[in-house]
Amino acid sequence: MPIQETKHIWRDGEMIPWAEATTHILTHGLHYGTAVFEGMRAYDCAQKGVCVFRNREHIERLFYSARVYKIDIDYSVEDLMQVCRDVVRENGLSSAYIRPVAYLGYGEMGPASQEVKSEIAIAAFPWGAYLGEEGMKNGIDVAVSSWRRLAPGTMPAGIKAAGNYLSSRLVSMEAKDRGFAEGIGLAHDGTISEGAGENLFVVHKDRILTPPAASSILSGITRDTVITLAEDLGLKVVEQALPREILYAADEVFLTGTAAEVTPVRSVDKLMVGSGERPITSKIQKAFFGLFNGETEDKWGWLDPVG
Ligand code: PMP
């Protein structure tokens, strides 16, 4: 997906021109993957104007990720939430993908360096439907990957760190090379984990199921949004370990993520999902996009106006 340039990027306390947001070739994060990041969206909302979606939860997750890898962030959650609003507004964006990144900078070599200074930046730029408008409407074709996701006790799958995305790259590249839109990763034990950059939900015999945190997933904020919206609609979501073959018995499958939003899955490993009818996925999509077009009341304070 080509990046659409905007005017300014915030870095270490100031807005700088887009082209000047460069870094040294010996940056620690580039060599050892010592970078943590977020992917957030801003929407043009019917009632509140341009809003960052679940700003606080994303920035809190950034701090959690940074804490685990001891990447200092010299700002508060509130400071960075304000920067997210500013970077969208100052770039004149009516909707945006927002990318905060904190990483170990230049100055030392060796993965365990504790002295190397951290750097932080937040960019915002336009980004449409990650898995395509057509896929959003009609569903995408996915395949289970031959690559397993990170096993417990290897690297924390629940942290949004740059290095984790080497796994995502392998899963997603393999799928695309084989002609699928996205790859699904299995956990170390062969149960379903998640998409390369999305959480996965299965509708099976009127139950909505999704793998738990222990299945090597990133606990997505969209996943939490969908669970909350489903329960608000009177639908129960059960978090449980899921065998691969439930994908072939499912009535509906969908993927969730900040980039992917709520994307239906049409087929898995070339087997059509259910009858092709998607009543539950449609309800969830309607409730999700309703938050922005005003049809779903934001009871949870998830929309944060950029001002
Ligand atoms: N899993 C992975 C591996 C991801 O990269 C993402 C996208 N951040 C998700 C799940 C979904 O997370 P969220 O809804 O917070 O964007």
Side-chain angles (χ1 to χ4, degrees):
M1 183 88 59
I3 296 172
Q4 261 183 272
E5 291 185 14
T6 54
K7 273 201 186 128
H8 294 111
I9 288 179
W10 178 90
R11 187 172 71 187
D12 294 320
E14 53 178 341
M15 289 288 174
I16 60 169
W18 178 280
E20 288 176 19
T22 57
T23 191
H24 197 275
I25 201 75
L26 292 178
T27 295
H28 199 276
L30 188 57
H31 295 258
Y32 303 114
T34 44
V36 293
F37 69 97
E38 272 305 315
M40 314 166 55
R41 273 190 193 266
Y43 289 91
D44 193 2
C45 299
Q47 275 120 19
K48 289 179 142 183
V50 181
C51 292
V52 178
F53 184 56
R54 303 198 71 174
N55 196 355
R56 177 171 296 279
E57 291 84 347
H58 280 282
I59 297 299
E60 283 179 351
R61 188 170 66 184
L62 181 73
F63 275 82
Y64 166 50
S65 301
R67 176 184 163 81
V68 173
Y69 286 109
K70 297 193 177 160
I71 297 170
D72 291 334
I73 297 180
D74 297 332
Y75 298 89
S76 66
V77 169
E78 282 69 25
D79 290 340
L80 296 189
M81 286 172 64
Q82 186 56 44
V83 173
C84 288
R85 295 180 202 114
D86 293 347
V87 80
V88 171
R89 197 189 51 252
E90 292 209 6
N91 281 306
L93 297 164
S94 55
S95 69
Y97 185 75
I98 307 168
R99 170 51 61 87
V101 60
Y103 56 96
L104 294 185
Y106 169 83
E108 281 197 31
M109 278 290 165
S113 299
Q114 300 262 357
E115 300 306 319
V116 59
K117 242 187 94 42
S118 59
E119 297 176 8
I120 184 161
I122 304 185
F125 45 89
W127 205 1
Y130 174 59
L131 296 168
E133 290 295 343
E134 205 271 330
M136 184 64 80
K137 224 196 285 163
N138 300 321
I140 58 167
D141 301 312
V142 306
V144 171
S145 181
S146 67
W147 291 101
R148 294 286 164 97
R149 298 293 279 171
L150 305 168
T154 58
M155 291 199 344
I159 302 294
K160 201 166 171 67
N164 293 23
Y165 286 81
L166 292 173
S167 161
S168 298
R169 180 165 169 84
L170 292 173
V171 170
S172 203
M173 274 195 313
E174 181 188 63
K176 290 186 165 104
D177 285 349
R178 293 168 58 203
F180 297 95
E182 186 57 300
I184 305 300
L186 300 181
H188 68 289
D189 59 1
T191 60
I192 300 167
S193 176
E194 61 180 351
E198 310 84 15
N199 292 115
L200 182 141
F201 288 78
V202 168
V203 181
H204 183 241
K205 297 189 193 296
D206 294 328
R207 294 202 315 155
I208 307 175
L209 309 167
T210 195
S215 291
S216 298
I217 65 164
L218 179 75
S219 289
I221 290 164
T222 321
R223 174 181 182 274
D224 178 73
T225 301
V226 161
I227 292 172
T228 306
L229 289 173
E231 285 173 358
D232 195 56
L233 290 167
L235 305 164
K236 192 168 157 42
V237 179
V238 182
E239 295 178 56
Q240 63 174 57
L242 297 171
R244 171 178 180 162
E245 61 272 22
I246 203 164
L247 294 169
Y248 313 130
D251 300 310
E252 302 175 45
V253 177
F254 59 91
L255 299 175
T256 67
T258 297
E261 298 167 306
V262 180
T263 300
V265 171
R266 177 170 56 189
S267 73
V268 183
D269 295 335
K270 301 216 164 158
L271 291 171
M272 297 308 288
V273 174
S275 65
E277 299 281 302
R278 290 191 278 267
I280 304 285
T281 310
S282 301
K283 255 191 206 170
I284 302 274
Q285 280 185 309
K286 194 165 179 297
F288 179 77
F289 290 108
L291 288 163
F292 317 121
N293 67 26
E295 284 174 20
T296 304
E297 186 195 346
D298 176 23
K299 296 180 192 170
W300 305 274
W302 287 337
L303 302 179
D304 183 15
V306 303

